[in-house]
Amino acid sequence: MNPTLNNHIESSRPVPYGIFRAGKGLSGELSRCLLSHRQMILLSFGAIFAIVLIATLYFEHKSLNAQVLIGSYEDNLEDVWHAVKLLYLPIISISASMMFADLSSVRSRVRLLSTPVGTFNKFAARFLLYIVGTTLAYWLSVGIADLIRYAVFSVLYFNTPIKMSFLARLLSDQPELLHNYIHHGIPVFTFIASLFGFGSIFWPKSSFVKTFCALFAVGVVGLIWIGILSSSIGSKSSDMLSFIFDSAAMTIVFWNSLAAFNWFLTYLRLKETDIIGS
Amino acid sequence: MKIKRTTYLIAAEIIIAFAAVPLLLTKTKEKEEHSFATASVFIDGKVEHIRFAGSEALDLSEIEAREHYFRGRGERINSIIIESDPEADQVEIRSTHLSRSSVTPEFDNGTLTLTIAANPDYDQSGSSLYPKVRIILPDSGRTLSSIETAVPVSRQIEMRDLCIDRLTVCQSSGEIELDSCRFSTLTLLGNPLYKHNDISMDNSTVRTLYIGPEVSYVGITEAESSRIDNVAWPLNTVTEVIPCLELEELTCPCHILTAPDIQVATRSISSAVSLETDTPAPASDKPINTSEK
């Protein structure tokens, strides 16, 4: 048999139902997403890198300036860590709120919903791209920015020994900061990202602003509610937070469960989305 | 417009979150009540230094000094010095100004002196600048040798299950809450800015309550199962204001010490209190006179 024809028959043969077929659908959808949004994705990752680089260079410059002025080197490890940690929150929130921006215009909405791929694959492809991909890109940017910082300041301040990789130093010098972030920071950030992810399908247009406003409103009402109850029960609301946050296991389970529920809702919402109507 | 199922679900999530708040608050309260297992000193406010006097010095001023910097508000605790005996129960210090710092010094036999001083650089007229102090010790048998608040720092002091030789409070606009505490001497030195003192006592015993010359009012409440053996204050040479002492529901006998340098309150004292003037009597002596409500 002609080998070309044979290959054609092989490729057109239905993939057996199961994980391989799902994987093929997912990779196809992922490729489609990457291709259709490549400009936006490149711009976003460029912006992430620029922000991280500026923050890293700023803190190193500040630290070295202090050394020149007052003669003592103030380690900026913690400042950089806090900045890197906190920058991740707006970036992942904005990224999550772009997950279902396709639904905002009629043409892209029709394209998204009529693509012959399962809903789960559509959801998973966007989750991988906007959440996992952004997270990886962010930490990659942090690593590269750190290397650039080292290179730039080694040249500018050649008399001063510039400290290498802050992430490695963080692990060796202050691992508790990293543990704290894993136990408390990541679960909370995952939860917040899930809220913005749901917001992106709930309000495809201007999703970030609308979700932010909604969360702000719910937060204000929640604080008033907590204030009223804490005064009537006689417990302190600040202690309530510490009750949640003191236990690492509880924190992880609590926030991740809520995040998983929100992602499940997002998936359900995508399933019930029609071409007509919002 | 048809409301989708997920809209109901997200609304349900928010409602459940709101409904869970009372449960969490109740759990928090339970936890707070069980926190007798560790001795805790909570400092919320601007404190220049905290000193625990004991045998072994643990100087935290150099340890994680950056932790003392409360970033958002540009406030700093200049130093925390803890000197304590290493063989004692735990004392945990937590402060909003220490962010994650949690110090666990140890001391033995309860011999511990705590001195809290406010930072004089701060405006003392702002009540929010004063720290709140809460001290909880695990068992009632423990004794602190003394606690002194040197300048108006202690807007609110809460104590539970403490046995303290001397507590000297140099301020007093705030509320002092005593729960199952025993004091040999409780001194309210007062402050020109704040002359009122409210002491909430529950199941507590004060052997001698000294009232300083700047104090013009002392209100004692929730004292049904409490006891004050002696109340004393020196001649008021500064303001000539006679302290006003109100003892509500104090069923136990209360004795007013009288000595050449002690002036007796003549008003606002409940009929349960007996007065006897011009009789020198040291604070540790047996009460001169007793009357029951």
Side-chain angles (χ1 to χ4, degrees):
Chain A
M1 193 184 280
N2 186 354
T4 318
L5 183 64
N6 195 17
N7 283 346
H8 178 73
I9 292 167
E10 276 296 317
S11 62
S12 60
R13 184 176 293 165
V15 179
Y17 191 81
I19 195 163
F20 295 112
R21 190 173 165 187
K24 199 175 176 186
L26 178 61
S27 65
E29 181 64 14
L30 196 57
S31 310
R32 256 191 299 277
C33 279
L34 276 168
L35 281 173
S36 57
H37 299 295
R38 59 185 178 278
Q39 280 183 331
M40 178 62 83
I41 289 164
L42 282 172
L43 262 175
S44 306
F45 289 170
I48 291 172
F49 179 68
I51 291 167
V52 172
L53 183 64
I54 288 167
T56 313
L57 293 178
Y58 167 74
F59 281 113
E60 189 67 27
H61 175 69
K62 193 178 150 196
S63 184
L64 286 166
N65 243 10
Q67 187 178 8
V68 170
L69 288 173
I70 59 174
S72 69
Y73 182 80
E74 193 182 349
D75 195 1
N76 61 2
L77 180 66
E78 214 177 307
D79 289 334
V80 175
W81 171 243
H82 286 309
V84 162
K85 195 174 66 175
L86 290 176
L87 270 175
Y88 176 71
L89 182 60
I91 285 170
I92 196 69
S93 302
I94 291 169
S95 182
S97 62
M98 287 161 61
M99 272 179 79
F100 294 98
D102 284 352
L103 295 171
S104 59
S105 74
V106 177
R107 180 178 286 184
S108 57
R109 184 188 188 88
V110 171
R111 195 189 305 135
L112 167 66
L113 295 175
S114 59
T115 307
V117 180
T119 311
F120 182 77
N121 284 340
K122 287 174 189 169
F123 169 79
R126 278 159 184 78
F127 183 84
L128 286 175
L129 185 62
Y130 287 94
I131 305 299
V132 180
T134 303
T135 305
L136 291 176
Y138 181 79
W139 290 106
L140 189 67
S141 302
V142 169
I144 296 170
D146 200 36
L147 288 177
I148 291 173
R149 170 198 62 87
Y150 179 73
V152 167
F153 284 100
S154 295
V155 173
L156 290 177
Y157 296 79
F158 51 87
N159 286 330
T160 310
I162 304 297
K163 294 198 173 177
M164 256 310 258
S165 173
F166 97 92
L167 280 176
R169 277 194 296 134
L170 196 72
L171 272 173
S172 60
D173 295 353
Q174 290 183 284
E176 72 278 2
L177 289 178
L178 208 58
H179 291 157
N180 190 41
Y181 181 60
I182 291 166
H183 291 149
H184 299 136
I186 290 176
V188 174
F189 289 176
T190 309
F191 170 69
I192 292 170
S194 72
L195 289 173
F196 279 94
F198 183 79
S200 76
I201 200 162
F202 202 84
W203 294 295
K205 282 181 191 168
S206 312
S207 169
F208 179 77
V209 176
K210 287 174 182 170
T211 311
F212 184 83
C213 291
L215 290 180
F216 183 78
V218 172
V220 167
V221 174
L223 282 177
I224 293 168
W225 175 239
I226 289 170
I228 291 167
L229 282 176
S230 62
S231 60
S232 64
I233 291 175
S235 181
K236 294 195 171 64
S237 52
S238 57
D239 289 344
M240 185 184 84
L241 289 178
S242 71
F243 174 73
I244 297 169
F245 286 110
D246 274 354
S247 153
M250 189 175 170
T251 306
I252 291 168
V253 169
F254 179 78
W255 293 116
N256 282 329
S257 305
L258 284 177
F261 181 71
N262 287 337
W263 286 123
F264 177 66
L265 283 188
T266 310
Y267 166 68
L268 280 186
R269 186 81 178 186
L270 182 64
K271 269 188 90 168
E272 52 184 31
T273 302
D274 306 319
I275 288 176
I276 301 166
S278 55
Chain B
M1 192 177 73
K2 186 187 168 191
I3 298 172
K4 291 174 179 169
R5 185 178 44 170
T6 45
T7 310
Y8 290 116
L9 286 172
I10 197 79
E13 185 186 350
I14 294 168
I15 290 165
I16 288 168
F18 275 59
V21 170
L23 181 73
L24 284 172
L25 283 169
T26 313
K27 286 260 181 197
T28 306
K29 199 176 180 189
E30 281 171 16
K31 192 188 171 195
E32 199 177 61
E33 282 164 3
H34 288 124
S35 66
F36 284 97
T38 57
S40 306
V41 179
F42 296 90
I43 314 290
D44 294 321
K46 297 179 180 68
V47 178
E48 190 180 36
H49 66 266
I50 303 167
R51 178 181 289 275
F52 281 63
S55 60
E56 187 171 307
L58 171 64
D59 190 343
L60 295 180
S61 59
E62 294 301 313
I63 300 171
E64 294 186 313
R66 297 161 67 80
E67 284 295 298
H68 304 162
Y69 185 71
F70 190 58
R71 291 167 185 279
R73 296 159 66 178
E75 295 160 0
R76 184 184 285 276
I77 293 178
N78 292 338
S79 67
I80 289 186
I81 301 166
I82 295 179
E83 300 167 9
S84 63
D85 195 310
E87 295 181 9
D89 289 330
Q90 291 187 334
V91 173
E92 184 187 357
I93 296 179
R94 288 202 289 170
S95 167
T96 53
H97 292 247
L98 294 178
S99 57
R100 289 179 308 281
S101 285
S102 178
V103 186
T104 310
E106 296 182 347
F107 64 99
D108 190 24
N109 293 329
T111 305
L112 179 81
T113 301
L114 166 64
T115 305
I116 303 167
N119 190 334
D121 293 340
Y122 296 116
D123 176 15
Q124 294 182 357
S125 63
S127 59
S128 63
L129 299 180
Y130 302 149
K132 291 176 184 173
V133 180
R134 184 168 60 177
I135 300 171
I136 302 171
L137 283 183
D139 61 73
S140 55
R142 202 153 303 285
T143 304
L144 289 177
S145 65
S146 70
I147 295 180
E148 293 180 11
T149 63
V151 249
V153 290
S154 307
R155 189 161 171 71
Q156 182 180 345
I157 297 180
E158 293 176 32
M159 293 184 180
R160 280 188 213 162
D161 275 7
L162 266 180
C163 184
I164 298 181
D165 189 39
R166 294 190 315 277
L167 169 66
T168 305
V169 183
C170 178
Q171 64 99 32
S172 289
S173 113
E175 191 176 334
I176 300 172
E177 290 182 24
L178 309 175
D179 186 359
S180 303
C181 294
R182 293 201 301 277
F183 292 94
S184 177
T185 308
L186 170 59
T187 305
L188 303 174
L189 289 180
N191 180 277
L193 288 173
Y194 301 106
K195 298 180 177 181
H196 284 211
N197 296 262
D198 289 315
I199 305 176
S200 165
M201 289 176 68
D202 190 8
N203 195 26
S204 294
T205 306
V206 177
R207 188 166 175 78
T208 305
L209 169 65
Y210 276 109
I211 300 171
E214 296 288 352
V215 177
S216 61
Y217 173 82
V218 179
I220 297 175
T221 57
E222 295 180 40
E224 280 183 74
S225 54
S226 299
R227 176 189 177 97
I228 297 177
D229 285 339
N230 311 299
V231 181
W233 56 92
L235 280 172
N236 193 332
T237 55
V238 181
T239 58
E240 295 296 331
V241 174
I242 298 171
C244 170
L245 183 65
E246 285 186 359
L247 308 174
E248 291 177 16
E249 299 170 348
L250 190 70
T251 54
C252 299
C254 180
H255 307 273
I256 305 299
L257 285 189
T258 55
D261 61 340
I262 291 174
Q263 187 172 347
V264 179
T266 55
R267 58 192 172 99
S268 299
I269 297 176
S270 77
S271 58
V273 179
S274 74
L275 305 176
E276 188 160 326
T277 56
D278 300 329
T279 310
S284 56
D285 281 359
K286 195 179 173 184
I288 301 157
N289 197 0
T290 303
S291 68
E292 307 266 352
K293 203 171 193 176

